[in-house]
C-alpha cells in the first residue's frame, strides 16, 4: 500500500490534534474522571481506530486492512499490559487521583515518541538487513518466556529505586505540589515526586517499545500501518485506565495470553526470515521453502487467544480472589493516604469500593479467603481505613 506525503501529514496532524484536544479539554484541569466520562471517551477512541481501519481496508485493500487490525489488536493488548505497570508506578508513588490523568497522558505521549523512533529504526534495519527478522523473532520468543515467569514484588521497586537515586544526586521533595515538577521548599528549589513518576513512566515506555515494535513488524512491514496501528492503540489509553481500573486485577491470565501471542508472532517472524533467508550459514544463503503464516490466520489466532484469556480470567476463582484482595489493598491505602485526593466524593467512592471488596473476600471459597487473612499487612490496612472512616463521621 503506497501512502502519499499528504496522507502522512494529515494523519500525523490528526493524531496530534487528538492529543492536544485530550490535554486541553480533559487533562489540563485536574479532576477525577467519572466512570461515564471514561466509558464515553474510551469508546470514542476505539471507534476512531476502527473507522480509520475501515478506511485502510477500503483504500488499501483487504491485506492492508487485515494487517492494520491485526496490528491494532496486538498493540492494544500490549498497551493494556502496560497499564499494569503504570498502575504499580502510580500506586507506589501515591500520585493524587486528580493528577493521575496528567501522568498517564505524559506516558502516552512519551510512548508514542519512543515507539515512532523505534518504528523508523526498525524499518531502516529491515530494508538494510534481511537477517533482522531472525533477531526480532528471537526478541519476541524471549519476551514470551519472560512473561511466563512468576512476577516478583514490583510494588516498591519503582518507588524505592528511583527516589533513592534521585535523592542522592538531586534535591527532592517528599510531597506533591499539585502537578508541579519543581517546587520551593525551605527557600530552595527541589524536584517533586511528580517529576520522578514521569521519569519512571518514560523509562518503562522505552522498555515496552522494545517488545511491541518487533511484534507489529511481525504482522506487517508497511511503516504507515505500523505507525497508525501503534498510535491508535495508545490513544484512549488514559480513559481505559480509569474505565478498567478495578478490572485489571481480574486479568490473571493476560500474561499467558500475551506470551502465546508474542511466541506465535516470533515463530511467524522466524518463518518469514527463513523464507527470505540470505544468511550464508543457513541453507547456504538460499531461501528456505517454509510455510508462511497469512495475515488472516494471524488475526484469527490473536483474537482467539485474547478472547479465551479474558473469559478464563473473568470466570476464574483465582481471578476473583486476586481482584478482591488487590483492590481492597489499593483502596485501603488510598483512603488512608490523605494526599490521595481532596475530593470528598472520591473518598466516599474509594471507601464504598473497599466495602464491596471486603464483602467479595468474605464470599470467597475458604482456600482463597485464607489468602487474605494470612496477609497481616492487609488486615492492618483494612482496620486502619475503618478507624479513619469512623473518625471522619464523628467530626
Amino acid at each position: 500500500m503506497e501512502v502519499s506525503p499528504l496522507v502522512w501529514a494529515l494523519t500525523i496532524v490528526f493524531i496530534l490534534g487528538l492529543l492536544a484536544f485530550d490535554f486541553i479539554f480533559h487533562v489540563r484541569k485536574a479532576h477525577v474522571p467519572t466512570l461515564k466520562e471514561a466509558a464515553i471517551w474510551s469508546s470514542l477512541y476505539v471507534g476512531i481506530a476502527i473507522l480509520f481501519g475501515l478506511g485502510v481496508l477500503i483504500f488499501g485493500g483487504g491485506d492492508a486492512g487485515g494487517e492494520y487490525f491485526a496490528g491494532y489488536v496486538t498493540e492494544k493488548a500490549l498497551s493494556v499490559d502496560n497499564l499494569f505497570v503504570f498502575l504499580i508506578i502510580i500506586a507506589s508513588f501515591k500520585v493524587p487521583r486528580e493528577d493521575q490523568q496528567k501522568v498517564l497522558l505524559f506516558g502516552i505521549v512519551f510512548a508514542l515518541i519512543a515507539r515512532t523512533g523505534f518504528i523508523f529504526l526498525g524499518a531502516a534495519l529491515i530494508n538494510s538487513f534481511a537477517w533482522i527478522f531472525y533477531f526480532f523473532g528471537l526478541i519476541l520468543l524471549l519476551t514470551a518466556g519472560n512473561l511466563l515467569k512468576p512476577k516478583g514484588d514490583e510494588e516498591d521497586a519503582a518507588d524505592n529505586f528511583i527516589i533513592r537515586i534521585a535523592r542522592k544526586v538531586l534535591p527532592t521533595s517528599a510531597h506533591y505540589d499539585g502537578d508541579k515538577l519543581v517546587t520551593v521548599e525551605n527557600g530552595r528549589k527541589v524536584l517533586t515526586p511528580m517529576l520522578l513518576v514521569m521519569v519512571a513512566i518514560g523509562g518503562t515506555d522505552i522498555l515496552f517499545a522494545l517488545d511491541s515494535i518487533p511484534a507489529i513488524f511481525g504482522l506487517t512491514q508497511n511503516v504507515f500501518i505500523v505507525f497508525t496501528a501503534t498510535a491508535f492503540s495508545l490513544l484512549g489509553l488514559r480513559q481505559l485506565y480509569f474505565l478498567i481500573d478495578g478490572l485489571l486485577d481480574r486479568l490473571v491470565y493476560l500474561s499467558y495470553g500475551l506470551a502465546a501471542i508474542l511466541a506465535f508472532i516470533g515463530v511467524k517472524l522466524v518463518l518469514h526470515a527463513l523464507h527470505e533467508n540470505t544468511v550464508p550459514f543457513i541453507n547456504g544463503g538460499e531461501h528456505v521453502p517454509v510455510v508462511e503464516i497469512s495475515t488472516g490466520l494471524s488475526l484469527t489466532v490473536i483474537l482467539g487467544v485474547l478472547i479465551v484469556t479474558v473469559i478464563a480470567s473473568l470466570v476464574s476463582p483465582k481471578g476473583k480472589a486476586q481482584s478482591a484482595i488487590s483492590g481492597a489493598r489499593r483502596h485501603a491505602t488510598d483512603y488512608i493516604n490523605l494526599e490521595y485526593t481532596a475530593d470528598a466524593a472520591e473518598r466516599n467512592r474509594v471507601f464504598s469500593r473497599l466495602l464491596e471488596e471486603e464483602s467479595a473476600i468474605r464470599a470467597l471459597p475458604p482456600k482463597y479467603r485464607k489468602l487474605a487473612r494470612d496477609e497481616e499487612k492487609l488486615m492492618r490496612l483494612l482496620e486502619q481505613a475503618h478507624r479513619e472512616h469512623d473518625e471522619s463521621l464523628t467530626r
Side-chain angles (χ1 to χ4, degrees), residues 36-204:
K36 180 180 178 182
E37 177 187 339
I40 289 172
W41 287 101
S42 184
S43 301
L44 182 64
Y45 278 109
V46 171
I48 290 171
I50 291 172
L51 287 174
F52 187 88
L54 292 175
V56 173
L57 185 67
I58 293 168
F59 294 104
D63 287 343
E67 289 173 358
Y68 169 84
F69 281 111
Y72 173 75
V73 172
T74 300
E75 291 296 307
K76 197 70 173 177
L78 290 170
S79 295
V80 172
D81 193 47
N82 295 6
L83 287 182
F84 280 100
V85 180
F86 287 175
L87 182 64
I88 289 169
I89 291 172
I90 286 171
S92 65
F93 279 101
K94 296 181 174 62
V95 179
R97 185 71 166 176
E98 290 87 345
D99 295 317
Q100 289 179 8
Q101 293 197 95
K102 290 182 180 175
V103 172
L104 290 166
L105 187 60
F106 168 81
I108 290 166
V109 172
F110 194 88
L112 185 56
I113 293 170
R115 294 185 189 192
T116 299
F118 280 114
I119 285 169
F120 287 103
L121 175 61
L125 291 173
I126 286 169
N127 289 332
S128 303
F129 309 104
W131 54 262
I132 202 69
F133 287 109
Y134 287 115
F135 179 68
F136 282 175
L138 181 62
I139 286 176
L140 294 185
L141 292 171
L142 290 173
T143 303
N146 285 331
L147 284 172
L148 296 176
K149 291 181 181 177
K151 289 182 170 56
D153 186 9
E154 300 169 291
E155 195 144 325
D156 297 324
D159 179 48
N160 289 345
F161 177 75
I162 298 291
I163 285 188
R164 188 165 61 246
I165 297 298
R167 283 180 174 166
K168 282 184 179 179
V169 298
L170 297 167
T172 309
S173 167
H175 302 284
Y176 289 90
D177 185 5
D179 61 355
K180 293 179 181 177
L181 304 181
V182 179
T183 189
V184 176
E185 195 174 76
N186 298 325
R188 64 171 188 161
K189 286 187 176 181
V190 294
L191 305 179
T192 70
M194 183 64 72
L195 180 60
L196 303 179
V197 176
M198 292 187 174
V199 170
I201 292 282
T204 58

Side-chain angles (χ1 to χ4, degrees), residues 57 62-74 219 261 264-265 268 293-307:
L57 185 67
D63 287 343
E67 289 173 358
Y68 169 84
F69 281 111
Y72 173 75
V73 172
T74 300
L219 298 167
I261 289 171
F264 171 78
I265 298 173
K268 184 177 187 289
I293 300 170
S294 68
T295 301
L297 179 59
S298 298
L299 182 56
T300 302
V301 170
I302 291 165
L303 287 173
V305 169
L306 286 176
I307 290 169

Side-chain angles (χ1 to χ4, degrees), residues 276-333:
E276 302 289 329
N277 180 59
T278 57
V279 178
F281 56 83
I282 298 177
N283 199 36
E286 297 296 324
H287 302 335
V288 180
V290 293
V291 175
E292 286 212 79
I293 300 170
S294 68
T295 301
L297 179 59
S298 298
L299 182 56
T300 302
V301 170
I302 291 165
L303 287 173
V305 169
L306 286 176
I307 290 169
V308 170
T309 298
V310 171
I311 292 175
S313 296
L314 294 179
V315 301
S316 161
K318 179 184 176 183
K320 293 176 183 178
Q322 182 169 312
S323 175
I325 293 170
S326 299
R329 182 187 297 109
R330 187 168 66 253
H331 289 116
T333 302

